[in-house]
């Protein structure tokens, strides 16, 4: 269940101790949201005795949230300009303008516009002694051209173990989102966690970025569970 910041502040520790899932929802990325994300992850990982992952998981969660917020704001920006994001000509024009105009002030303004239109990002942390899952859902879909570029960035990032090396090799064609994706995968590798446990799925209504952190050999990945469910229904 998603909670407001005020509710969370008063009840966070109690929720973490008594539940196995906690969510927070926002239309923009600001210091207040970052503070709550860090506190949630810190208290959850302290409860589970896995504090070694706090810094890595906070960085990954923040990257996924920033990507989701920016994707939502880009959608609203295109709408405000009267551009069709699925039209290639419109897309190139709108993206160039979005990059040129993007600033902290604009991010704050478009956060308010997203809120007014019901466009948001929801960060959910699901946890147990075997492992933890962070999901970031933004309620806008990824268009085909963006999904194709995103998959290519994920494929390329698999080849690297150093973010600086990735940046130097891809600086001409890498947006912030591309660097964020590479950073997530490289951070997972640095902790000997399979980078395939970072996934991005999109549907007509939303985009879901998800990372799984196994704590024990007994952890069953979400993909394994889905495959088993398919097998059981045959």
């Amino acid at each position: 269940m998603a909670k407001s910041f005020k509710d969370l502040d008063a009840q966070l520790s109690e929720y973490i101790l008594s539940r196995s899932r906690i969510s927070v929802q926002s239309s923009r990325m600001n210091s207040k949201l970052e503070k709550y994300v860090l506190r949630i992850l810190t208290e959850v990982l302290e409860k589970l005795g896995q504090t070694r992952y706090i810094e890595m998981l906070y960085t990954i969660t923040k990257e996924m949230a920033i990507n989701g917020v920016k994707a939502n704001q880009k959608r609203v920006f295109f709408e405000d300009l009267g551009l069709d994001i699925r039209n290639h000509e419109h897309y190139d024009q709108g993206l160039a303008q979005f990059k040129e105009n993007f600033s902290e002030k604009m991010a704050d303004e478009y956060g308010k516009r997203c809120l007014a239109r019901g466009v948001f990002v929801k960060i959910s942390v699901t946890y147990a002694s075997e492992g933890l899952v962070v999901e970031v859902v933004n309620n806008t879909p990824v268009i085909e051209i963006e999904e194709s570029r995103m998959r290519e960035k994920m494929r390329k990032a698999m080849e690297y173990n150093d973010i600086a090396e990735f940046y130097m090799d891809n600086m001409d064609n890498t947006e912030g989102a591309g660097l964020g994706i590479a950073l997530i995968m490289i951070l997972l590798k640095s902790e000997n966690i399979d980078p395939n446990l970072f996934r991005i799925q999109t549907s007509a209504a939303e985009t879901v970025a998800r990372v799984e952190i196994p704590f024990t050999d007994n952890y069953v990945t979400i993909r394994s569970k889905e495959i088993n469910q398919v097998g059981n229904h045959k």
Side-chain angles (χ1 to χ4, degrees):
M1 171 164 75
K3 286 277 163 187
S4 73
F5 288 135
K6 193 174 178 183
D7 288 341
L8 262 180
D9 201 30
Q11 299 176 299
L12 184 58
S13 299
E14 178 196 326
Y15 272 113
I16 288 169
L17 286 170
S18 62
R19 303 187 180 197
S20 60
R21 180 183 173 94
I22 191 161
S23 303
V24 63
Q25 186 172 300
S26 183
S27 292
R28 53 186 158 169
M29 198 72 191
N30 55 24
S31 58
K32 189 180 278 190
L33 180 60
E34 290 176 16
K35 184 183 105 176
Y36 279 110
V37 168
L38 180 57
R39 189 173 159 202
I40 288 166
L41 292 172
T42 300
E43 293 204 21
V44 166
L45 290 166
E46 281 174 351
K47 173 188 173 181
L48 298 170
Q50 300 288 347
T51 53
R52 61 176 285 202
Y53 293 116
I54 291 172
E55 190 177 337
M56 178 196 76
L57 205 49
Y58 173 63
T59 303
I60 287 174
T61 304
K62 190 174 166 183
E63 284 296 333
M64 293 195 297
I66 287 170
N67 285 349
V69 165
K70 209 164 181 180
N72 285 348
Q73 293 185 356
K74 188 162 64 179
R75 281 282 174 146
V76 173
F77 182 79
F78 271 68
E79 285 174 13
D80 286 354
L81 290 180
L83 297 173
D84 177 4
I85 201 167
R86 295 182 185 279
N87 176 304
H88 281 240
E89 207 173 288
H90 284 199
Y91 180 80
D92 290 340
Q93 179 193 337
L95 187 61
Q97 286 185 248
F98 183 75
K99 286 180 178 178
E100 188 181 326
N101 293 312
F102 195 80
S103 64
E104 284 298 316
K105 187 178 177 184
M106 179 183 163
D108 195 53
E109 170 63 26
Y110 272 85
K112 292 172 186 171
R113 294 187 193 192
C114 285
L115 181 64
R117 296 183 202 186
V119 178
F120 60 82
V121 163
K122 184 164 85 167
I123 302 165
S124 300
V125 184
T126 307
Y127 42 97
S129 56
E130 294 81 19
L132 175 148
V133 181
V134 177
E135 273 191 352
V136 176
V137 178
N138 59 298
N139 61 341
T140 57
V142 175
I143 63 166
E144 195 175 320
I145 186 171
E146 289 180 334
E147 184 169 12
S148 174
R149 288 176 182 176
M150 188 174 65
R151 301 291 171 206
E152 178 62 15
K153 287 165 188 166
M154 292 177 86
R155 188 192 65 74
K156 276 189 175 179
M158 277 290 198
E159 302 165 12
Y160 291 84
N161 294 308
D162 181 89
I163 190 65
E165 191 183 333
F166 176 88
Y167 178 71
M168 292 305 292
D169 287 354
N170 297 278
M171 61 193 298
D172 292 337
N173 58 5
T174 299
E175 302 171 49
L179 264 183
I181 285 169
L183 177 62
I184 289 167
M185 297 174 78
I186 289 166
L187 282 172
L188 291 173
K189 284 187 189 181
S190 72
E191 289 287 349
N192 295 315
I193 296 169
D194 182 357
N196 287 304
L197 290 177
F198 167 57
R199 303 182 72 80
I200 299 174
Q201 297 172 308
T202 188
S203 68
E206 64 183 22
T207 304
V208 181
R210 180 177 75 212
V211 68
E212 300 176 69
I213 309 293
F215 298 144
T216 73
D217 292 338
N218 296 329
Y219 181 77
V220 181
T221 67
I222 291 171
R223 188 169 175 78
S224 296
K225 288 176 188 171
E226 289 169 351
I227 290 168
N228 287 338
Q229 283 175 350
V230 171
N232 291 335
H233 286 121
K234 281 185 178 178

